[in-house]
Amino acid sequence: MTVALIIYITLQLPLFSSTANFSEPQDKFSILKKETEAYFATLPSNIREDSELLVPDLIRKYGYPCENHTVVTPDGYILEMHRIPHGRKSFPDKRSVIYLQHGILASSADWVLPGPRKGFAYILADFGYDVWMSNVRGTRYSRKHTYLDPEKDSLEFWNFSWHEIGVIDVPIMIDYIINKTNENKLFYIGHSQGATVFYVMCSEKPQYNDKIKAMFSLAPIAFLKHMISPLLLIVAEFRTEILALYNVLNTYNFLPRNEFLAQLGDTLCNDNSTFQILCTNALFAICGFNEKQMNSSLLPIIMGHTPSGASVKQICHFAQGVKSGKFQRWDYGWVSNLDYYGDTSPPNYNLRNIYAPVYLFYSKNDWLVHELDVMKLHTELFNSIAVQVFDDHFNHMDYLYAINAPDLIYQRTIDIMKHYN
Ligand SMILES: *[C@@H]1O[C@H](CO)[C@@H](O)[C@H](O)[C@H]1NC(C)=O
Ligand SMILES: *[C@@H]1O[C@H](CO)[C@@H](O)[C@H](O)[C@H]1NC(C)=O
Ligand SMILES: *[C@@H]1O[C@H](CO)[C@@H](O)[C@H](O)[C@H]1NC(C)=O
Ligand SMILES: *[C@@H]1O[C@H](CO)[C@@H](O)[C@H](O)[C@H]1NC(C)=O
Ligand SMILES: *[C@@H]1O[C@H](CO)[C@@H](O)[C@H](O)[C@H]1NC(C)=O
Ligand SMILES: *[C@@H]1O[C@H](CO)[C@@H](O)[C@H](O)[C@H]1NC(C)=O
């Protein structure tokens, strides 16, 4: 573990790596980079275009309507939402509104990358739903603020965790959608951290339960005691040191250096698979992937859109849950906890405040979401139903990208939603 920390720190520090000669990781990275470039060069231009287009342009390219909406939070973050109001054919009757919430290091792109008939947002729009995709603070489309500069005021801009996303960003976007559409309730679908922030919102602001018809948690994260993600295990071990380090660097923007990820990828991935380029992606270094269900043509498109930006505090807040086994607010250390919470330890989120119906989709091969942790969440929620995915190889990112996700997840979700219409 100490060795891991030393590697982690030295590779994080731009200062160190520019003066010292880390030839080995550098070499590994440049080889990977060359391989990746060679691979990209063989791609059809259509795929290269999909990896470069912004989400609204990507959606319009495939003949779907797309609107771009912005909301400003009380603490100044400017958030962008992308809406597909209906499918390629518009339905005369008014259909329900769906709010899609992406996970960590992701964005609205998650729901459309696999293309029409495969991406969840397109499938929902084709069924006539009014689909809204959020982008939370810090991500590619919401890296804007009324007075802070994400680069110059880095420490202040990135000084948030998923707690702030759950109590500020998500509620304000839901209010905006409800106002715009004249509906009083919507369906909420969240992947990974997208489910976490829902539990934060409804436990801290229970009135939001009344705005939800039903909530679908895809690979929900709340309790993390049994997760096996190597990167999160490292962070869990050195949470305090990592935060201190970022503090010294004067930023909380989580941007691991590519050399570090190339090294990590080397130990995580099969040596000569095309999938190795994925291992250099922070998202997959945290979540892992399932080679069987991964459509290799999607790789460059995924790489073009992720990772999308996050605060290191989001990662550290998850790592805190790995250690404590609890779903609780940010731990400032016991002295400061007294100031913030009036107690030496941070309060737990009160899951008993959540009464909207919650469907928990989980799978056996998920690095981050262990069955035992889902069962704990299931017993703490009043109104939840656990739904196991019928594929034992299904991993964390498969909910978005797997070739069989439309059959295993999306169709099932739509069948359940029909009961609420
Ligand atoms: C760094 O290491 C490489 C490979 O061992 C070597 O070719 C290069 O000269 C070294 N650079 C410096 C500045 O020491
Ligand atoms: C969405 O609208 C905002 C505000 O008008 C604009 O700054 C942003 O560039 C737009 N985003 C896209 C992807 O077009
Ligand atoms: C970050 O937020 C905490 C409150 O969560 C606050 O105490 C601290 O001063 C903030 N730091 C910066 C640099 O804004
Ligand atoms: C809804 O939006 C309109 C303008 O777009 C605004 O005037 C009104 O205050 C909003 N209502 C609520 C409840 O937010
Ligand atoms: C690596 O690639 C070679 C040929 O490109 C192949 O023969 C070999 O089986 C591959 N190894 C693994 C572990 O996939
Ligand atoms: C794989 O992705 C490509 C590019 O989006 C798509 O054209 C193809 O249909 C996909 N294949 C499967 C089996 O999903």
Side-chain angles (χ1 to χ4, degrees):
M1 269 306 169
T2 319
V3 176
L5 178 69
I6 291 167
I7 295 174
Y8 185 84
I9 291 179
T10 45
L11 294 175
Q12 284 288 336
L13 281 171
L15 195 72
F16 283 12
S17 45
S18 60
T19 51
N21 189 356
F22 289 101
S23 58
E24 227 256 297
Q26 204 78 45
D27 285 347
K28 177 75 202 158
F29 179 62
S30 50
I31 292 167
L32 268 176
K33 195 160 169 250
K34 263 191 213 123
E35 277 174 6
T36 310
E37 273 161 12
Y39 173 62
F40 267 69
T42 66
L43 293 170
S45 60
N46 184 38
I47 291 197
R48 231 173 310 154
E49 189 175 71
D50 283 8
S51 73
E52 285 160 9
L53 284 175
L54 295 173
V55 166
D57 298 328
L58 182 60
I59 292 170
R60 288 183 202 117
K61 172 181 165 182
Y62 288 104
Y64 286 77
C66 183
E67 296 169 11
N68 168 14
H69 295 261
T70 52
V71 186
V72 181
T73 68
D75 54 351
Y77 290 86
I78 303 168
L79 311 177
E80 202 170 303
M81 276 187 285
H82 300 142
R83 176 194 194 187
I84 309 180
H86 54 79
R88 282 189 271 208
K89 282 186 302 209
S90 81
F91 285 73
D93 55 327
K94 207 161 147 52
R95 301 296 287 263
S96 294
V97 174
I98 299 189
Y99 175 85
L100 296 178
Q101 179 55 61
H102 65 76
I104 195 166
L105 292 164
S107 70
S108 56
D110 273 18
W111 311 101
V112 295
L113 289 191
R117 287 184 301 279
K118 307 250 191 282
F120 203 177
Y122 291 123
I123 290 175
L124 291 168
D126 285 336
F127 269 88
Y129 290 105
D130 178 5
V131 183
W132 293 73
M133 298 170 282
S134 84
N135 288 287
V136 302
R137 59 182 62 190
T139 58
R140 181 178 185 185
Y141 299 100
S142 300
R143 193 174 298 196
K144 288 171 278 188
H145 195 280
T146 49
Y147 58 90
L148 292 174
D149 182 315
E151 308 295 329
K152 286 194 207 105
D153 313 302
S154 201
L155 203 55
E156 244 182 304
F157 179 90
W158 295 96
N159 187 22
F160 60 83
S161 170
W162 35 262
H163 175 80
E164 285 72 21
I165 295 173
V167 295
I168 305 171
D169 295 3
V170 179
I172 202 169
M173 288 191 278
I174 287 179
D175 285 340
Y176 177 91
I177 294 168
I178 283 178
N179 187 351
K180 271 274 182 248
T181 56
N182 279 319
E183 291 282 314
N184 38 27
K185 287 187 178 208
L186 45 74
F187 287 112
Y188 183 119
I189 300 175
H191 174 243
S192 186
Q193 180 191 264
T196 318
V197 294
F198 175 87
Y199 310 137
V200 170
M201 172 177 75
C202 285
S203 51
E204 295 285 307
K205 298 183 158 180
Q207 68 272 28
Y208 279 87
N209 282 285
D210 298 328
K211 307 188 183 197
I212 306 295
K213 278 187 189 172
M215 190 277 181
F216 297 87
S217 307
L218 311 182
I221 300 187
F223 299 103
L224 281 164
K225 194 166 190 217
H226 300 94
M227 73 95 224
I228 53 161
S229 161
L231 193 62
L232 262 196
L233 282 170
I234 296 177
V235 179
E237 213 52 51
F238 300 106
R239 184 176 167 274
T240 322
E241 290 82 355
I242 289 169
L243 282 170
L245 176 68
Y246 273 82
N247 232 309
V248 171
L249 293 177
N250 205 30
T251 180
Y252 285 128
N253 185 1
F254 174 72
L255 260 188
R257 293 180 55 79
N258 287 327
E259 292 88 343
F260 167 65
L261 289 170
Q263 282 282 295
L264 196 68
D266 202 23
T267 56
L268 296 181
C269 294
N270 198 338
D271 223 8
N272 59 351
S273 78
T274 25
F275 293 92
Q276 205 177 32
I277 60 166
L278 272 190
C279 306
T280 64
N281 185 317
L283 184 64
F284 291 90
I286 295 172
C287 304
F289 60 87
N290 167 12
E291 201 166 324
K292 280 204 186 70
Q293 280 299 335
M294 184 63 85
N295 174 356
S296 60
S297 325
L298 273 187
L299 288 186
I301 307 178
I302 296 172
M303 296 296 278
H305 291 268
T306 51
S308 161
S311 160
V312 73
K313 286 183 120 183
Q314 283 168 261
I315 311 228
C316 287
H317 200 170
F318 282 131
Q320 179 188 319
V322 175
K323 274 267 169 186
S324 70
K326 291 177 179 163
F327 183 45
Q328 57 184 186
R329 290 190 58 179
W330 178 259
D331 190 350
Y332 291 95
W334 69 272
V335 177
S336 303
N337 283 342
L338 276 172
D339 286 344
Y340 283 102
Y341 309 122
D343 196 347
T344 50
S345 57
N348 293 333
Y349 289 106
N350 188 358
L351 294 171
R352 290 281 164 195
N353 285 344
I354 304 176
Y355 53 83
V358 174
Y359 293 83
L360 302 166
F361 284 73
Y362 69 99
S363 48
K364 291 265 187 195
N365 186 38
D366 193 324
W367 283 11
L368 287 171
V369 181
H370 194 279
E371 192 174 3
L372 291 174
D373 292 328
V374 176
M375 286 308 129
K376 183 169 164 63
L377 176 62
H378 181 39
T379 54
E380 300 231 343
L381 292 169
F382 271 124
N383 196 0
S384 66
I385 294 173
V387 187
Q388 193 186 328
V389 178
F390 301 131
D391 177 348
D392 283 346
H393 300 291
F394 223 66
N395 195 352
H396 202 68
M397 301 310 294
D398 285 339
Y399 292 85
L400 304 171
Y401 306 138
I403 292 166
N404 60 358
D407 296 334
L408 289 176
I409 313 290
Y410 309 158
Q411 193 54 52
R412 253 175 126 181
T413 309
I414 290 166
D415 289 344
I416 298 170
M417 285 196 291
K418 283 180 185 155
H419 294 292
Y420 290 89
N421 277 328

